[in-house]
Each structure stands twice: as C-alpha cells, then as structure tokens.
Amino acid sequence: MTILCITGQPTDTLTPIAEHLYSAGLEKPRSLQREHPIDLPQWHKRVLANLTTQAQTRPGATPTPSRLWEQLAVDLILANIDSPAWGWADPSSAQLLDFWSQLEDSLHFVLICQSPLELIAHTIGNGATLQTDDTAKLLSQWHEQHQNLLRFHARHPHNSRLILSSDAHQNPQQLSATLRQHWGTPLDSQSVSAHRAEPFPPLLLHLAAQILSPHTSHIELQDELHASITRLTPEAP
C-alpha cells in the first residue's frame, strides 16, 4: 500500500493537483463509517483546534495529538487498507507532517511549493492590492511555511518530494510519472489529461517582480528550495 499526503499550499492550489493524480489511478480516501462518520478533513480540523487549545492552556509544552486522535488516524488508514494506492490533499497536513511520518511508513509526502514571485502574482491576480507592509507580511508567512517544508524534506528525503505548484499544474502527466518512478506508486500517467494549466501572464509576472524587487529576505531560502526541488521537466539552460 502506498499513501500520498499532498500538502503545502491552499486548497485551491492542491485540489487540481490531487484531481490529476486521482485520474491517474490514485484512490480517494474513505471515511470512517461510524455512528458519527469522520473523514480526513474533519480529523485535521478538530486536531488542529485541539492543538491550539493545548498551546493556550499549557504554555511551553509541545502540542501533540492525543492518543484518541492518534487512534482515529490509524483507523482512517485501516479504512483504506485494501487500496493499493490512495491519498489526500489538505493544507492542514503541513502542520502535522512529523505526526503523519511517524505514524505510518507507507506514507509519502508531495510537498507543493510556490516561489515568492508566483505567490505575489497569484495574490494580485486575485485582485489584492499590496502595499510594502502587506508584501513583507506575505513574504514572512511564505518564509515560515516553506522553511518548515524544506526542513521536513531534509529529515525525510526518501519519503518526500518538493514540487513547484506551477510545475505540477503545467505538467500533470509528468507528475504522475515522477511519483511512479520515485516510489513505485501505481499511477498511469497516460490516463491524465495532457491539458496544461495556463501560466501566469507575462504582464502579471512583471508587476509581481516590481513589487518583489525591494525585498530580499526570501532570497537565501528561495535558493535552498531551488536546489532541493524535484523538477518534472528538464530545466531550461
């Protein structure tokens, strides 16, 4: 059994990536059929709420899911034990990477990254207006988020892959083929639509670059990510 955890970005970025993998043969996760059914999104939501409460009531302690929530996570995995390959996409999983990696050896992590330039292009493309302070806050959040992904990947290089969101969206067949090559995940890349997502318009990228240019705090981490990312297609010289 191979399990894929797809995380690292908001839902609107992860969902199309997951759908491509589902069309390649990855099975969607089954929920626990009990008196009160629970699925993975509900599990993440309730666990993170519980961890927030722990952090507020026990300052200084490291919040961890209780044995009850750990057992429910095990039960959710067992509910899918007959699936040769299944997985889920949830941005909340990025906050629980260590928990999941320690819980099950067959879990593999598809860590979706985004460059600062693409982050700003996506933000202004959705109609937001970024002042200098807004951009600095956005880049600070990007730094914390991607530093966590990079550190996790450094600890688990064989069970995780850092992949650019734009690369995954524009090369869906190559994504399935790459995961099959690295982990033996039974995915049929030929079943995936060859349709490529539209890249960011050049003008939008130009505007994003102008907004980004006064800021430098992201550059070192961006270079580290660049060295660790799994490319789905050969990089242009």
Side-chain angles (χ1 to χ4, degrees):
M1 177 175 67
T2 301
I3 310 171
L4 298 185
C5 170
I6 308 155
T7 190
Q9 296 299 316
T11 300
D12 63 344
T13 297
L14 297 180
T15 297
I17 296 171
E19 290 301 327
H20 286 310
L21 294 175
Y22 293 143
S23 68
L26 188 71
E27 295 188 31
K28 295 183 179 182
R30 301 184 182 97
S31 60
L32 282 176
Q33 298 304 316
R34 298 183 172 181
E35 181 180 357
H36 300 289
I38 185 169
D39 58 16
L40 277 160
Q42 292 172 321
W43 185 92
H44 281 91
K45 181 178 180 179
R46 295 177 70 175
V47 166
L48 290 180
N50 182 263
L51 295 184
T52 299
T53 300
Q54 284 188 42
Q56 293 171 345
T57 57
R58 297 162 53 192
T62 302
T64 55
S66 67
R67 290 185 179 179
L68 169 64
W69 292 111
E70 181 177 340
Q71 185 57 54
L72 280 173
V74 171
D75 291 345
L76 282 163
I77 290 175
L78 291 175
N80 295 273
I81 198 168
D82 292 328
S83 302
W86 65 279
W88 74 88
D90 195 317
S92 300
S93 296
Q95 301 177 58
L96 294 162
L97 291 173
D98 288 328
F99 168 82
W100 284 114
S101 68
Q102 294 167 14
L103 188 70
E104 175 53 48
D105 291 339
S106 60
L107 254 166
H108 297 76
F109 299 87
V110 183
L111 306 176
I112 304 300
C113 304
Q114 191 174 41
S115 72
L117 180 66
E118 291 173 342
L119 170 63
I120 292 176
H122 181 77
T123 302
I124 62 177
N126 286 337
T129 301
L130 292 177
Q131 304 298 328
T132 300
D133 289 347
D134 299 326
T135 304
K137 182 178 179 180
L138 198 63
L139 290 174
S140 177
Q141 294 170 346
W142 175 91
H143 192 283
E144 180 180 2
Q145 173 189 8
H146 285 77
Q147 187 173 62
N148 288 338
L149 297 179
L150 183 61
R151 286 175 175 172
F152 179 82
H153 175 64
R155 295 195 301 271
H156 305 277
H158 301 297
N159 281 2
S160 65
R161 285 291 176 269
L162 293 164
I163 296 176
L164 279 173
S165 60
S166 56
D167 207 3
H169 287 146
Q170 294 172 31
N171 301 288
Q173 291 184 328
Q174 288 87 338
L175 174 61
S176 297
T178 296
L179 300 185
R180 185 177 66 246
Q181 175 187 351
H182 284 295
W183 297 325
T185 312
L187 300 173
D188 180 8
S189 57
Q190 297 305 311
S191 298
V192 181
S193 170
H195 174 71
R196 295 167 175 253
E198 290 295 325
F200 289 107
L203 178 57
L204 186 61
L205 288 174
H206 176 71
L207 293 173
Q210 288 185 318
I211 294 172
L212 185 61
S213 61
H215 303 270
T216 59
S217 61
H218 63 281
I219 294 176
E220 183 177 353
L221 180 57
Q222 180 178 256
D223 290 343
E224 290 181 39
L225 281 167
H226 188 273
S228 301
I229 279 172
T230 296
R231 299 284 175 180
L232 301 181
T233 56
E235 192 172 3

